[in-house]
Amino acid sequence: MALEVRDVAYAYGDRVALDGVGFEIAPGVLTGLLGPNGAGKTTLMRIMLGVLSPDRGEVLVHGAPVDSEVRQHWGYMPQERGLYPGMQVGDQVVYFGRLHGLSRAEATDRAYRVLAELGLEDRWDQRTDKLSGGLQQRLQLATALVHEPDVVVLDEPFAGLDPVAVAELSDSLRERARTGCTVLFSSHQLDLVQNLCEDILMVDAGRIVLRGPLSSLRAASTGVQLRLDVHAPDRRWLEGFPGAVVVSEEADEVRIAIPPGTDPLRVLDGARAAGRVDDFGLDLPSLSQLFLEAVGRARDPARDGSDQVDPVGPVQTGRGGPR
Ligand SMILES: Nc1ncnc2c1ncn2[C@@H]1O[C@H](COP(=O)(O)OP(=O)(O)OP(=O)(O)O)[C@@H](O)[C@H]1O
């Protein structure tokens, strides 16, 4: 379902949480919503789901404003738990299915399926408050997915899950997207988002700072990086390559952003002349580097040599190329 958020603004009293946010999501695309703490992610999701009304702007599906009838077919997992602690697991999922308009028989059938998908099939009769934190998180997800929604909006669905559950949920979201479901989820686990999402949407201080297909964003960013494990006494050898910048240094590995027009192999030769090189490779910037760059650029536009504030940054946006 093609989903559009158009120029949405929202303030809690005089604290501006969203300041003109707009984007589109195509059906069948998994989109990761990223941003530092307090960026406005939860507020945006609440507005999309109609929990909050925007001060300005609107949420549209196929060009028409979203109403409660359309939202019956959406699934939402809020960051804070909204489960009934004394209710049994199965009853809880059936109840949420009924809230979304399923008959009791349908809700029961789908509750069995979604609980099995999330590894809770043997917990049907257990009280919710007897589940561990991670299992309650899975149950919360089951309540958001039981009615097989067209649009799924999940606030930090991976927080608190173990690696097996993370892999299972990733598969389940991929499968939903493959069958045409529109999936948007927030996360601070950038490696996970990098592995899972085709598109990302990054907000900071209530504005979009980066959006689009992750592969294009990575390719269009600061360019190629040389990864090196070099045993040199210092980094003076890099002075011979103007514009080459160390972007991270961890344990034995140094990552160097190579400026356009510089052959990375020449930089590698420079490193080999300075000391033993045990390992090397070429990479695109990671999502976490894109994140730091985009947030830094939004907060200090002078960083990219421009004094114009471009809320989306100088990189490619959307599926159709640069805007
Ligand atoms: N109920 C509220 N009353 C007042 N201010 C609020 C309220 N909820 C959020 N805010 C403020 O609105 C801004 C956006 O908050 P929001 O919860 O949307 O951010 P977030 O990106 O989801 O953050 P996090 O990653 O920490 O969950 C923040 O400055 C926050 O302090």
Side-chain angles (χ1 to χ4, degrees), residues 12 15-17 35-44 46 79 188:
Y12 298 93
R15 175 164 294 279
V16 174
N37 292 130
K41 303 178 296 294
T42 295
T43 306
L44 174 60
R46 286 181 180 153
Q79 199 170 24
H188 290 290

Side-chain angles (χ1 to χ4, degrees), residues 84-212:
Y84 297 98
M87 214 187 247
Q88 288 184 342
V89 166
D91 293 344
Q92 186 112 233
V93 182
V94 171
Y95 173 75
F96 277 88
R98 302 274 286 146
L99 281 185
H100 284 278
L102 300 182
S103 70
R104 175 160 292 282
E106 273 175 323
T108 306
D109 181 50
R110 293 193 191 177
Y112 272 109
R113 268 192 271 158
V114 75
L115 286 173
E117 188 183 327
L118 294 168
L120 291 172
E121 62 272 40
D122 55 347
R123 305 282 180 159
W124 185 277
D125 296 326
Q126 197 163 355
R127 264 177 65 120
T128 296
D129 56 3
K130 303 291 179 221
L131 296 178
S132 70
L135 295 180
Q136 288 192 32
Q137 173 86 347
R138 296 190 203 192
L139 175 55
Q140 181 88 61
L141 270 163
T143 63
L145 299 175
V146 60
H147 56 296
E148 294 172 12
D150 308 324
V151 172
V152 178
V153 177
L154 307 170
D155 201 348
E156 291 281 348
F158 292 98
L161 295 186
D162 68 45
V164 174
V166 165
E168 285 170 359
L169 178 60
S170 301
D171 286 346
S172 143
L173 295 184
R174 266 193 210 102
E175 178 56 20
R176 282 184 162 74
R178 202 187 58 75
T179 55
C181 182
T182 303
V183 183
L184 176 77
F185 70 94
S186 67
S187 180
H188 290 290
Q189 290 157 268
L190 300 184
D191 291 350
L192 198 157
V193 174
Q194 183 168 323
N195 290 333
L196 186 56
C197 290
E198 292 149 69
D199 280 18
I200 57 149
L201 189 62
M202 202 179 284
V203 288
D204 184 34
R207 312 193 86 186
I208 293 184
V209 293
L210 199 67
R211 64 166 186 255

Side-chain angles (χ1 to χ4, degrees), residues 23 25 30 37 165 195 222 264 276 302:
F23 58 89
I25 307 181
L30 258 174
N37 292 130
N195 290 333
T222 48
R276 197 180 80 235

